[in-house]
Amino acid sequence: AEGFAVSEPYIYASINALGITCVVPVYDSEGQFVGVLGLDIMLQGLAGMIKDLQVQNEGKVILLNQNFEILADQFNEYTENITRLKIFEDAELIDGSDGYFITELEDRKMLTSYKIIESTGGILLVAIPYYNIMEFLNQTLATILLSEIFLMVFLLIILTILLHKIITEPMDKMLSVMKEIEYGNVEARIVTRG
């Protein structure tokens, strides 16, 4: 929405915890500015919301601000108030508004896809273990390979049957008639179907 903004993370005055404030201007029915609607979100609460997201193939979510600081992720348990942010170690791999890269997270090779959220400047990352993706691709390739082998064997059988009917069988008949003529049966003929 136009005028929507998200603050940089800051420590709330009332509690020792990091949070962000989201604000949007409010206008009346005639377009006159009447105030600002704000929402404070503790990063621990945001981490709790992200924790409940489910990504297929053991994938995990990371939410960064525009400074590549980790606001919330599924790699860490947030049991206490968040008071300090860590920089995402592979920030230099984020180039452009969306893309992907391979990196190590939690000592696992991960394929990480990212998208910059235009309205906030934040970055949403989804990391899936590389092994899980490759395992799926290997299974798919194995299925394709087995299908192709089956089709090749099937085609070979069909081709063998056709070659027998078109070439071998008529040649056998010709040789048989030639042998009969050789043995003196000059009346021998090849019977053809048409």
Side-chain angles (χ1 to χ4, degrees), residues 4-181:
F4 177 78
V6 178
S7 72
E8 289 292 320
Y10 63 94
I11 295 193
Y12 289 126
S14 58
I15 57 172
N16 188 28
L18 277 172
I20 55 175
T21 299
C22 304
V23 294
V24 65
V26 178
Y27 300 94
D28 66 14
S29 60
E30 294 163 5
Q32 297 293 317
F33 176 76
V34 293
V36 176
L37 177 63
L39 175 66
D40 291 331
I41 302 172
M42 287 180 53
L43 293 187
Q44 184 177 6
L46 184 60
M49 287 187 272
I50 284 184
K51 178 184 171 199
D52 293 335
L53 293 175
Q54 293 185 2
V55 180
Q56 290 182 342
N57 293 322
E58 299 178 44
K60 295 190 178 187
V61 174
I62 304 169
L63 184 61
L64 309 177
N65 66 9
Q66 58 268 29
N67 299 323
F68 304 107
E69 295 170 313
I70 300 172
L71 298 176
D73 65 72
Q74 292 180 320
F75 289 96
N76 297 297
E77 288 290 324
Y78 295 98
T79 56
E80 298 180 13
N81 288 341
I82 300 169
T83 57
R84 227 179 92 213
L85 295 177
K86 293 188 281 184
I87 298 287
F88 181 64
E89 291 179 8
D90 295 315
E92 73 278 357
L93 299 175
I94 298 173
D95 182 27
S97 63
D98 58 28
Y100 65 92
F101 53 88
I102 297 172
T103 188
E104 291 277 330
L105 296 170
E106 284 190 334
D107 297 325
R108 293 172 78 184
K109 190 175 185 180
M110 305 284 255
L111 177 66
T112 305
S113 177
Y114 67 89
K115 174 84 173 142
I116 294 179
I117 305 163
E118 291 182 25
S119 60
T120 65
I123 306 162
L124 179 66
L125 294 99
V126 176
I128 298 175
Y130 192 72
Y131 172 80
N132 292 1
I133 294 169
M134 293 310 295
E135 181 181 36
F136 172 74
L137 289 176
N138 285 337
Q139 288 174 352
T140 303
L141 288 174
T143 302
I144 291 170
L145 184 62
L146 287 174
S147 299
E148 285 187 7
I149 290 171
F150 173 76
L151 286 173
M152 286 175 22
V153 168
F154 180 73
L155 287 174
L156 186 60
I157 291 170
I158 296 295
L159 187 60
T160 302
I161 291 170
L162 288 174
L163 285 175
H164 178 73
K165 288 284 187 191
I166 295 172
I167 296 174
T168 308
E169 212 173 85
M171 290 292 281
D172 286 345
K173 286 181 182 177
M174 278 188 349
L175 289 172
S176 174
V177 168
M178 288 173 63
K179 280 186 181 180
E180 282 188 44
I181 292 174

